[in-house]
Amino acid sequence: MNGSAAPGASSSAGRDDATRHHWFEPLAEFVGPAYLRYSFTKGTEQETGFLFDALELEPTALVLDVGCGPGRHAHALARRGCRVVGIDIAERFVALAAADAPPGAVFARADARALPVRPAFDAAISLCQGGFGLPTDPRAPDDASVLAAIGAALKPGGRLALTAFSAYFVVQHLEEGEAFDAGAGVDHETARVKDEAGAERDFDLWTTCYTPRELRLLAAAAGLAVVGVWSVTPGRYERRPPDIDNPELLLIAERVAS
Ligand SMILES: C[S@@+](CC[C@H](N)C(=O)[O-])C[C@H]1O[C@@H](n2cnc3c(N)ncnc32)[C@H](O)[C@@H]1O
C-alpha cells in the first residue's frame, strides 16, 4: 500500500494478487506518465464533476477507484474532499498515482478480479476500461467477476460508475488492422504507444465491447440495481440515452439494500 493504510482494505491486501499478471502491465511500464498526454485523459474535471452528482457523493465519501491508472479521477475526487482508495494492477501506474497524490487519496497494486477490500465503500468508479473490459482470455472474459467484486466492496445503497466501449460504435468505426470478434464482442488492435522520451512501441490491446442491455444484465447478476446506462464520450459525460454514435457507455448502478 502506498501512503497511509487504506480505509476499506482487508488485511490480505495485495498478498494474493502480487503474482497475477495482466497484458496491460508492460504497456503501463512503457508509457508511464506519457499516458496523461492522450486526449481521452483530458476531460477528468468534467467527468469527475458529473460523477460527483450522479453518484450522489457526500464531500467526505469513501470511494474506490478500480483500475485507477495514474490516479487522475482519484486525485480529482480527493481534491473535492472525498477519501479515495485507488487500485490498479500496473505497478508503474500505482507509483505514479501515489507520487503526487493529494491528501485523502491512497493507492495499492491489486487485481480487480479479486479485490482485497471489505464492503466499506460509499461509491466505486471504474473508468476508461479500468479492469472491466480488458480480457486476458477473450473467450472467457473476467468482467462478471470484476463487477461482482466491485459490487461486494460497496455498502448497501452505494453507487458504482463504470464505463465500457460501445459495441455499436466500435463496429461502425473499425480501422485498418483492427479485428472485431463478433462471437466474443472483443475488439483487437495493435496500438503504437509513445513513452515520455518519444520512443514508440507496438502493443496488442483487447477490449470487450458492450451493448446497454448486456451491461444491465451483468449488473443485475452482480446484485446491482441499474440507475442508468448512458452514451458518453470522454470529457463529455451526460445523461444521454443509449445511441450508436458515442464511443462509451456509462453505467450507474446501486448495490441493493439487503
Ligand atoms: C485505460 S486505463 C484507465 C485508467 C484510468 N481509470 C483512467 O480513466 O485513466 C486501464 C487501467 O486498468 C488497469 N487494469 C487492467 N486490468 C486490471 C485488473 N484486472 N485489475 C486492476 N487494474 C486493471 C490497467 O493497468 C490500467 O491502468
Side-chain angles (χ1 to χ4, degrees), residues 22 24 35 67 69 72-73 88-89 93 110-112 127-131:
H22 193 283
F24 203 96
Y35 172 83
R72 60 194 182 102
H73 297 101
D88 200 285
I89 202 158
F93 278 174
D111 192 326
L127 303 174
C128 201
Q129 291 72 52

Side-chain angles (χ1 to χ4, degrees), residues 55-253:
L55 293 172
E56 299 184 340
L57 291 178
E58 298 293 334
T60 57
L62 179 60
V63 183
L64 178 65
D65 184 353
V66 177
C68 61
R72 60 194 182 102
H73 297 101
H75 291 181
L77 285 169
R79 285 193 294 268
R80 286 173 179 259
C82 296
R83 296 163 296 141
V84 190
V85 177
I87 70 98
D88 200 285
I89 202 158
E91 196 76 63
R92 182 89 197 270
F93 278 174
V94 172
L96 285 169
D100 61 349
V106 293
F107 297 91
R109 179 177 186 262
D111 192 326
R113 295 164 288 190
L115 283 173
V117 293
R118 292 182 278 110
F121 291 88
D122 299 305
I125 59 174
S126 178
L127 303 174
C128 201
Q129 291 72 52
F132 182 93
L134 297 178
T136 44
D137 176 355
R139 287 279 159 182
D142 308 310
D143 292 349
S145 31
V146 171
L147 205 53
I150 299 175
L154 290 171
K155 289 178 184 168
R159 285 192 172 186
L160 155 75
L162 172 148
T163 60
F165 266 16
S166 159
Y168 301 140
F169 182 91
V170 168
V171 296
Q172 287 187 91
H173 296 91
L174 285 180
E175 292 178 5
E176 206 181 320
E178 201 172 342
F180 185 76
D181 178 336
V186 173
D187 181 64
H188 173 247
E189 62 181 314
T190 305
R192 182 148 298 173
V193 176
K194 270 192 188 178
D195 73 3
E196 270 290 86
E200 293 184 334
R201 197 182 292 174
D202 288 345
F203 287 91
D204 284 314
L205 309 179
W206 292 266
T207 311
T208 307
C209 306
Y210 282 92
T211 64
R213 182 172 167 275
E214 288 168 332
L215 286 181
R216 286 197 186 94
L217 290 170
L218 268 186
L224 297 163
V226 174
V227 175
V229 180
W230 300 311
S231 276
V232 298
T233 291
R236 275 187 282 140
Y237 284 6
E238 55 186 299
R239 291 172 172 80
R240 184 193 290 113
D243 62 26
I244 61 173
D245 302 319
N246 282 276
E248 293 188 347
L249 295 166
L250 171 63
L251 166 73
I252 305 286

